[in-house]
Amino acid sequence: MEDHTGIGRTRSATSELVYRIRARIREQELFPGEKLGSERALAESLGVSRSDLRNALTVLESDHEIIRKIGRAGGIVISDGRLERNINTVESLPTIARRQGMRVSSKVLQAVIAPASVSDVRLLRLPGEHPMIYDITRLRYIEDRPLSLERSHLPAYLFPLFLTRDLTTPFYTMFERDYGVYPCNVDETLESAVGDEQENELLQIEAETPLMRIHRIAYASDGCPFERATDVYIADRMRFTMHHSGYVRLSATSTQNMTK
């Protein structure tokens, strides 16, 4: 008869350590994105071996309560399972996720070349009488769960034969590597929304589930717009952040109202 006593003791010790770490997070009132510390420091403060600590951290990480980051700036970071994305970033979503210890993958739903619309011509500053764009829609997954729908319009003249490439890989990496187009600035607007029937079905969510919709125009280092995109995120799987310092100019309307 097989002896499971040792396995049972290990599981019990791991459960107890998980409880202690959760209690410490509550006591210190740590928020997502803050560090609990390094493995070494946490093991010493809890009076346990790093091997035992790693067993407990594996449980917490599988429950999306912490993320373990490696490197000089790494450590044990508090998480609530949401992916954090800075507003007005030129980083690709997979790059953002990888830095946070998460994995983002993509599925191409549509990739066609089509005549540019009137707004495409204006916003992308397209030359010629009958400009064409690539119309590409991708479904994004985070840890194999639907995260977002991304629809991109790209000037066809800037990216020859783009539809022959692997469109599940980060676009911005291909822009730089294959076309010499270097993302530099973006203009984005963020708004709350609910999805239509097709969006809800693709994202596998119930009707009226809160979404966040981002409209984006991206510019290359020479000031030329190279992407017009709309991203629709499931709201409770994302957190949007922004860091700003310095003077914020009020709108002309607000300034006028203050001087009346």
Side-chain angles (χ1 to χ4, degrees):
M1 184 174 180
E2 189 176 354
D3 184 4
H4 296 284
T5 305
I7 296 175
R9 280 199 297 266
T10 299
R11 289 176 178 172
S12 177
T14 298
S15 297
E16 173 64 22
L17 192 48
V18 167
Y19 175 84
R20 292 174 62 192
I21 296 171
R22 285 172 174 161
R24 177 166 295 195
I25 293 171
R26 289 194 301 270
E27 290 165 1
Q28 295 183 4
E29 298 183 356
L30 296 175
F31 295 102
E34 292 190 287
K35 289 185 178 180
L36 183 59
S38 67
E39 276 191 10
R40 176 176 296 177
L42 186 58
E44 289 177 356
S45 67
L46 292 170
V48 298
S49 70
R50 293 181 70 176
S51 176
D52 288 342
L53 176 64
R54 285 171 183 153
N55 290 336
L57 294 179
T58 297
V59 173
L60 292 167
E61 194 165 33
S62 66
D63 289 339
H64 306 291
E65 296 176 62
I66 58 108
I67 296 171
R68 284 179 282 186
K69 297 184 179 180
I70 60 175
R72 180 174 298 180
I76 304 162
V77 179
I78 306 304
S79 174
D80 58 2
R82 297 189 184 197
L83 179 65
E84 289 196 357
R85 178 195 186 279
N86 191 268
I87 298 173
N88 293 336
T89 182
V90 294
E91 284 190 305
S92 68
L93 204 60
T95 299
I96 294 170
R98 187 164 54 250
R99 192 171 58 250
Q100 297 175 40
M102 301 181 184
R103 178 176 54 85
V104 167
S105 56
S106 302
K107 177 182 179 181
V108 179
L109 302 180
Q110 172 182 279
V112 299
I113 187 168
S117 68
V118 173
S119 56
D120 286 329
V121 172
R122 181 180 71 255
L123 295 173
L124 292 172
R125 304 177 197 165
L126 299 177
E129 293 186 7
H130 304 290
M132 305 294 286
I133 55 100
Y134 299 123
D135 185 350
I136 304 170
T137 302
R138 298 188 294 180
L139 178 60
R140 301 281 209 164
Y141 296 87
I142 182 167
E143 306 296 341
D144 300 321
R145 296 189 305 160
L147 172 69
S148 66
L149 281 169
E150 176 188 277
R151 185 176 185 184
S152 298
H153 285 189
L154 309 174
Y157 81 95
L158 279 180
F159 308 109
L161 301 176
F162 191 73
L163 297 188
T164 65
R165 301 182 181 276
D166 180 2
L167 301 181
T168 64
T169 60
F171 283 2
Y172 284 16
T173 298
M174 290 192 287
F175 295 159
E176 294 185 19
R177 182 190 64 211
D178 302 328
Y179 297 99
V181 174
Y182 295 90
C184 186
N185 296 303
V186 294
D187 290 333
E188 292 184 327
T189 59
L190 176 66
E191 61 188 19
S192 60
V194 293
D196 58 29
E197 185 175 348
Q198 183 182 33
E199 289 173 331
N200 293 339
E201 181 179 356
L202 290 171
L203 292 170
Q204 300 176 26
I205 55 176
E206 300 293 332
E208 305 303 316
T209 297
L211 303 173
M212 298 303 297
R213 196 182 307 271
I214 292 181
H215 301 281
R216 177 175 66 259
I217 304 291
Y219 300 86
S221 53
D222 62 0
C224 176
F226 65 85
E227 180 195 36
R228 178 189 184 191
T230 299
D231 303 339
V232 182
Y233 293 92
I234 301 174
D236 66 2
R237 296 179 189 173
M238 287 291 299
R239 176 178 292 105
F240 294 96
T241 63
M242 182 178 68
H243 174 74
H244 186 278
S245 61
Y247 174 72
V248 179
R249 182 181 179 184
L250 298 174
S251 68
T253 302
S254 299
T255 304
Q256 290 171 4
N257 290 338
M258 289 176 65
T259 57
K260 288 182 179 179

